[in-house]
Amino acid sequence: MDQRTPTLPDDLAAMVSEIEHAVANAADEAALDAVRVAAIGKKGTVSERMKTLGKMTPDERQVMGPALNGVKNRVTEAVALRRKALAAEALERQLTAETLDVTLDPPAAALTAGRIHPISQVMDEIIAIYTDLGFSIAEGPDIETDDLNFTKLNFPEGHPARDEHDTFFLPERADGTRRVLRTHTSPVQIRTMLSQKPPIRIVAPGRTYRCDSDQTHTPMFHQVEGLVIDTESHVGHLKWVLREFCKAFFEVDDASMRFRASFFPFTEPSYEVDIRCRRTPDGVVLGEGDDWLEILGSGMVHPNVLRNCGLDPDVYQGFAWGMGIDRIAMLKYGMPDLRAFFDGDVRWLRHYGFAPLDRPSLAGGLSR
Ligand code: DAH
């Protein structure tokens, strides 16, 4: 006899065993619920028996009360156990049915139908190179405050350098501020310095906007920003990073570069950087020849910018650079017209696009 209900009369024992049998045989949730209702629901067999307690003598009730309660608990427990088992069985069935063999070849269509846009490919290549050098990726929004896009980058209000950016302004807000479509990825520098403690080593690829359109300019284009802040970096480090990047990106053994003094409000000193090249009737060969091609702007972060971000320029210093992604993509892959990037022409994409499963990596090769 069951230990929990040692005094169970024969008829109750039969009832329990019948219910337990039904519970064990319930094939799904619905069947189990029907068994539960038929036993311990309002009009269930157990409940009906409980209603007879009132008519019993006190002596009888003293025996049957606890016995019936024990039965009810037993049924409740059995139902709960069965419910758990049914859920486990259902999960097991689902897992078996949904087994995925990841070692199978991908469907042929996945290898031939889609194409990765050259800009996405080049961004992935850039990310592969810089992350290998120990940089993290940072991001910022396309719609930026005037403060982050200009003021904190040491473009004072009314400074002529602001006009050079051909900015798209959004309508003025109630508080008099205007948001802009970011004209460069440099505000991500500010966002990073405001939110992270040095040492900082980030690159920030993304979309940028200027009101400008011709064969070599589109109103939306792409840049990648780089920023290093610590207590001891100097121009030598800047040169090394950019050189390693160019060698890896253009897949050449030697990338001779030229640093020309320039001006950006947020760097001092500032440099424009050219890479050595040779122009041929078929395009540009990089890393050799007597010509130079400008590929980026850079410099040591201006003390005012550090101060604007709460960093003490007597303690911290660093360097930054910004490079046009579309431009270097055109150079590397010999694409003559920038506008084609944004035409959405499938034939162009089929020709210049990249296979979806060839992910660029330094070990596996950046481009094929
Ligand atoms: N933001 C500049 C532009 O769009 C490029 C640039 C120059 C970025 C120098 C930098 C830098 O971080 O140090 O023209």
Side-chain angles (χ1 to χ4, degrees), residues 165 183-184 186 189 210 223 225-226 264 266-267 297-299 320-322:
H165 275 222
T183 57
H184 50 178
S186 302
Q189 284 186 30
R210 290 189 198 185
Q223 290 189 339
E225 192 80 11
F264 300 103
F266 38 90
T267 42
S298 66
W321 67 97

Side-chain angles (χ1 to χ4, degrees), residues 111-122 125 333 335 340-341 345-359 367-368:
L111 296 174
T112 52
R115 274 287 172 268
I116 300 291
H117 194 284
I119 293 293
S120 302
Q121 165 78 17
V122 165
E125 293 178 17
Y333 292 112
M335 293 174 283
F341 279 28
D345 185 330
V346 186
R347 292 161 304 177
W348 181 87
L349 198 55
R350 249 181 236 131
H351 181 77
Y352 285 111
F354 291 80
L357 294 180
D358 282 349
R359 309 307 297 152
S367 58
R368 289 152 214 232

Side-chain angles (χ1 to χ4, degrees), residues 153 155 165 183-187 189 208 210 221 223-227 238 263-272 296-301 319-324:
L153 281 160
F155 289 78
H165 275 222
T183 57
H184 50 178
T185 41
S186 302
Q189 284 186 30
T208 45
R210 290 189 198 185
F221 55 106
Q223 290 189 339
V224 57
E225 192 80 11
L227 175 71
L238 165 66
F263 171 80
F264 300 103
F266 38 90
T267 42
E268 181 58 39
S270 305
Y271 308 99
E272 274 174 320
L296 62 97
S298 66
M300 298 303 293
V301 179
F319 53 88
W321 67 97
M323 182 188 255

Side-chain angles (χ1 to χ4, degrees), residues 52-67:
T52 64
L53 284 172
K55 293 187 193 117
M56 292 181 190
T57 65
D59 282 351
E60 279 175 328
R61 204 179 301 136
Q62 214 164 22
V63 178
M64 286 306 284

